[in-house]
Amino acid sequence: MATNASRPGRVNANAPVRKLSKTALFKKYGVPIITTILVAAAIVVVGVLLKVVLDNYYFFCLKSFKFIPLTKWCDGTEDCSGGQDEMNCVQRFGITTPALFRISENQALLQGNIRLSGTWALVCFSNFNQQKAQAVCSSLGFNSGPTFSSVDVSGLGLNLPFSSVDLAGNQGIQVSSTGSCQTVVSIICQSCGVGGNRERIIGGLSTPITKYPWQCSLQYQGSHVCGGSILSPWWILTAAHCFQGGQLQVPNWRIQAGMASLSLMFANRVEKVYVHSGYSANAKANDIALVKLQAPLALSDSIQPVCLPGFDNVVTLDDRLWVTGWGYTSEGSGVLASTLQEVSLSLIPQDTCSHEYPGQITGGMLCAGRLAGGTDTCQGDSGGPLVDFGDNQRWQQVGIVSFGEGCGRPGKVGVYTNVTDYVPWINGAMKQGS
């Protein structure tokens, strides 16, 4: 018998539907969601802060799963399993084999070391091709597309033997003695030394980066430490003394290029750092280092490599030299220049410089400045380039800012690493790191 009473398990179509209010919906769904988001955000913030604190004070050994003080990272002693704490550190590099090739200052003539005997000979143009040119430049540490041309021997006035270059499969590239030839090889391993300019910089002037597009800033944990110069999209030239004490951890270094103003943005990560194996902070000799980037720089009007000098380059008292950097603009100011500074200097005779710095000046150094004072480099300019405009109509780097007494003092000029003397070391280090 049917009745109006609803039966168990059936929905009464006539029963009223109760709707949750907006407040109830928010309490039921909104509050838990927001709480979850806030908790997750708090965990992320705490994690980031914890990582920052740990990164600033400790190094994490992944294999042995332990923390060690940062002072033990790159200290020369293995504190982590497998020596993890001594990896990704600044390395010392010395040349162990003689150079196979060198390039002259005048007309960029290629010379080969015949069977590594120490006998240098002009390379004949006959049978020289793009593949051999690439092999030659690769042996010098350059991987860009080289260009080469022929030069008539009759106009050179050089009394040198002749050689040929051969690619000998697994034995690599070889240089052999050959008879006389009418034309020899002139080679340029990459385009370089293109700038717009024809004063720690004391007495200097602000300058746009396009005038010195090879200039860059070396930064450690977000702070400018030294200057440097672009040798290729991969390599930066600087001073060895920039990498001292607790600043030997490669991952903490960055390179800023293409900007006249110092910035922490757009800095490039570093893969390797080589310092000269003969460098000594006490003696100050061999103050040179190379930095390799993790990724190549994108060349532009504001990012260009500077040229290396020829092996026979000689800086004269008549040469007009230029040095650039972001260092202090007055001695002891403690304030870096806000924009890139430039100053024009003159070469100081070696005997005069040796008199100013008794027992400190070696053959691998040169001095530049003004004896009257007023213009000089200062703290923060270290590692930066000293350049001149060569006879080949390209800017080339002849010096690296090394040391000096004070900034712009009368009778105390700046001392620079003589780049010409270290071209074989530079080529060897770039080849090693390629």
Side-chain angles (χ1 to χ4, degrees):
M1 180 176 63
T3 65
N4 289 331
S6 61
R7 295 180 180 179
R10 295 291 185 98
V11 175
N12 186 352
N14 298 319
V17 179
R18 299 182 60 187
K19 295 184 178 180
L20 294 176
S21 66
K22 292 183 178 180
T23 302
L25 284 172
F26 178 76
K27 289 181 179 180
K28 184 175 181 179
Y29 300 108
V31 171
I33 292 173
I34 293 175
T35 302
T36 301
I37 293 174
L38 291 176
V39 170
I43 292 174
V44 171
V45 171
V46 171
V48 170
L49 292 175
L50 183 60
K51 185 179 186 303
V52 170
V53 171
L54 291 176
D55 287 347
N56 285 334
Y57 295 97
Y58 296 97
F59 177 85
F60 179 62
C61 303
L62 186 61
K63 291 183 178 180
S64 48
F65 207 76
K66 68 176 183 179
F67 289 93
I68 62 171
L70 275 186
T71 53
K72 292 187 176 183
W73 184 13
C74 297
D75 66 349
T77 302
E78 294 185 2
D79 298 291
C80 295
S81 175
Q84 183 186 0
D85 56 314
E86 296 305 313
M87 301 176 183
N88 293 327
C89 302
V90 172
Q91 305 174 52
R92 299 180 75 83
F93 175 79
I95 297 176
T96 56
T97 58
L100 188 57
F101 296 101
R102 65 185 188 181
I103 300 174
S104 72
E105 181 73 12
N106 182 32
Q107 299 189 68
L109 300 178
L110 178 63
Q111 295 186 13
N113 187 352
I114 297 177
R115 301 191 181 280
L116 297 177
S117 64
T119 299
W120 291 97
L122 295 167
V123 176
C124 291
F125 187 79
S126 177
N127 296 322
F128 195 81
N129 54 33
Q130 189 67 34
Q131 186 180 10
K132 292 180 180 180
Q134 185 64 57
V136 167
C137 291
S138 293
S139 74
L140 298 175
F142 292 99
N143 296 314
S144 301
T147 58
F148 62 96
S149 60
S150 63
V151 176
D152 194 335
V153 172
S154 61
L156 295 179
L158 297 176
N159 185 23
L160 288 174
F162 298 95
S163 65
S164 62
V165 172
D166 299 300
L167 300 179
N170 294 334
Q171 296 180 347
I173 189 169
Q174 294 181 344
V175 179
S176 304
S177 178
T178 189
S180 62
C181 49
Q182 299 300 314
T183 55
V184 293
V185 175
S186 170
I187 191 167
I188 297 176
C189 286
Q190 68 171 5
S191 175
C192 62
V194 179
N197 185 49
R198 278 287 297 157
E199 258 183 306
R200 36 184 174 157
I201 305 296
I202 306 297
L205 302 171
S206 297
T207 181
I209 194 66
T210 50
K211 290 177 70 175
Y212 304 95
W214 45 82
Q215 176 77 47
C216 57
S217 164
L218 276 68
Q219 301 173 354
Y220 188 81
Q221 292 184 329
S223 297
H224 171 83
V225 175
C226 281
S229 54
I230 301 169
L231 292 187
S232 79
W234 289 99
W235 290 98
I236 308 298
L237 182 64
T238 187
H241 78 261
C242 298
F243 308 94
Q244 299 187 79
Q247 296 179 328
L248 301 177
Q249 300 87 14
V250 172
N252 289 335
W253 284 95
R254 299 286 188 275
I255 302 295
Q256 175 202 294
M259 301 175 67
S261 299
L262 290 177
S263 171
L264 302 182
M265 300 177 64
F266 313 115
N268 300 269
R269 292 181 178 272
V270 172
E271 179 181 315
K272 297 176 182 177
V273 177
Y274 291 132
V275 300
H276 196 289
S277 59
Y279 172 70
S280 168
N282 295 327
K284 298 182 175 62
N286 305 306
D287 192 8
I288 186 170
L290 274 170
V291 176
K292 185 182 181 184
L293 302 177
Q294 286 189 5
L297 295 169
L299 300 184
S300 65
D301 289 344
S302 57
I303 299 179
Q304 288 288 324
V306 68
C307 297
L308 287 174
F311 74 89
D312 52 353
N313 177 66
V314 177
V315 182
T316 70
L317 297 178
D318 295 330
D319 290 340
R320 191 179 186 188
L321 310 176
W322 295 85
V323 64
T324 47
W326 290 277
Y328 300 171
T329 53
S330 62
E331 184 177 341
S333 69
V335 179
L336 295 171
S338 58
T339 59
L340 185 64
Q341 302 287 294
E342 66 172 0
V343 68
S344 177
L345 304 173
S346 298
L347 182 71
I348 302 299
Q350 200 81 345
D351 55 348
T352 302
C353 193
S354 296
H355 179 73
E356 293 183 10
Y357 298 99
Q360 299 183 60
I361 306 303
T362 69
M365 302 175 184
L366 57 82
C367 297
R370 297 176 186 173
L371 293 175
T375 55
D376 194 9
T377 53
C378 202
Q379 283 76 20
D381 291 320
S382 289
L386 179 72
V387 301
D388 71 357
F389 197 69
D391 293 336
N392 54 16
Q393 302 301 298
R394 298 183 299 165
W395 287 95
Q396 59 187 9
Q397 183 169 350
V398 297
I400 302 169
V401 179
S402 183
F403 71 94
E405 185 175 322
C407 306
R409 296 181 186 179
K412 292 296 181 182
V413 297
V415 183
Y416 299 77
T417 302
N418 189 343
V419 173
T420 301
D421 288 0
Y422 291 93
V423 169
W425 182 89
I426 294 170
N427 293 147
M430 290 196 302
K431 181 183 177 183
Q432 172 74 16
S434 297

